[in-house]
């Protein structure tokens, strides 16, 4: 009896891992705490899986040119615009909102600036996505920018650590 209890105890971590793997997100290698959105007036938003899942999910298919050839993928995530709206980051006066950019930084230092005018539905209306899933599975190396229509890969930033509103 005692022996059996030990055996079950030894199996528990494995069982827990299996259970979690079946739960969307829980088994994801994405460490949510590592991604942060810095807004105006010192506002800091932790981009957790839970808060992103609460926003309308959006899908996008992209194919971009990289040094390895054409990289195609189906992505799921949230529109950058939706995220900024939900967090109240954008000024309601569009002329003020349009002064700003979102500087996106990756763990390796790769950085790209996106303008508010580019993603605003009334202006550039580009459906730029902060993606957490690729081809039906959580993206293992973290959140990724997806820029439908871009011919080259540079703005498809992987392993995003920071979004800075400037
Ligand atoms: N974090 C990070 N993301 C990045 C880059 C990078 O250097 N660091 N390079 C970009 C460039 S220039 C390209 S072409 C694609 C390459 O993506 P691939 O590895 O899927 O071909 O990733 C983009 N995302
Ligand atoms: Mo590239």
């Amino acid at each position: 009896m005692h022996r059996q209890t030990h055996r079950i105890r030894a199996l528990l971590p494995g069982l827990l891992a299996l259970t979690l793997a079946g739960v969307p997100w829980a088994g994801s290698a994405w460490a949510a705490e590592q991604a942060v959105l810095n807004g105006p007036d010192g506002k800091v938003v932790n981009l957790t899986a839970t808060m992103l899942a609460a926003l309308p999910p959006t899908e996008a298919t992209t194919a971009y040119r990289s040094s390895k050839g054409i990289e195609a993928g189906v992505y799921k995530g949230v529109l950058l615009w939706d995220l900024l709206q939900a967090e109240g980051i954008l000024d309601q006066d569009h002329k003020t909102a349009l002064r700003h950019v979102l500087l996106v930084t990756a763990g390796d230092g790769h950085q790209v600036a996106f303008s508010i005018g580019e993603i605003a539905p009334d202006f550039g209306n580009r459906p730029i996505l902060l993606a957490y899933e690729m081809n039906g599975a959580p993206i293992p190396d973290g959140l990724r920018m997806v820029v439908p229509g871009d011919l080259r890969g540079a703005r498809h930033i992987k392993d995003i650590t920071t979004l800075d509103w400037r």
Side-chain angles (χ1 to χ4, degrees):
M1 184 63 189
H2 194 66
R3 251 181 119 101
Q4 218 163 15
T5 310
H6 270 281
R7 198 173 292 166
I8 289 166
R9 282 230 177 101
L11 282 172
L12 271 179
L15 280 173
L16 189 66
L18 274 176
T19 312
L20 290 176
V23 176
W25 288 109
S28 159
W30 175 46
E33 302 70 37
Q34 285 173 6
V36 164
L37 166 62
N38 294 308
D41 307 319
K43 182 182 173 82
V44 178
V45 180
N46 285 310
L47 300 175
T48 66
T50 314
M51 67 89 76
L52 291 179
L55 293 169
T58 303
E59 287 198 21
T61 304
T62 61
Y64 58 78
R65 208 163 81 228
S66 81
S67 53
K68 290 174 227 153
I70 302 292
E71 302 281 346
V74 181
Y75 292 89
K76 186 171 153 188
V78 300
L79 289 176
L80 218 44
W81 178 258
D82 288 347
L83 172 66
L84 297 180
Q85 284 291 355
E87 294 302 328
I89 302 278
L90 299 166
D91 202 292
Q92 288 312 298
D93 173 16
H94 62 273
K95 285 170 78 178
T96 309
L98 290 170
R99 288 176 190 152
H100 298 280
V101 301
L102 203 68
L103 185 62
V104 181
T105 306
D108 62 358
H110 181 48
Q111 242 178 2
V112 176
F114 296 87
S115 73
I116 299 304
E118 183 178 19
I119 61 170
D122 288 346
F123 297 93
N125 198 27
R126 294 285 303 274
I128 297 174
L129 211 65
L130 186 62
Y132 43 74
E133 262 183 47
M134 179 187 179
N135 299 330
I139 303 175
D141 61 358
L143 291 173
R144 188 178 296 191
M145 291 309 300
V146 172
V147 193
D150 270 21
L151 300 182
R152 294 185 60 174
R155 300 206 296 172
H156 292 77
I157 310 161
K158 300 170 182 182
D159 180 28
I160 292 172
T161 55
T162 324
L163 309 176
D164 290 300
W165 177 91
R166 296 261 170 106

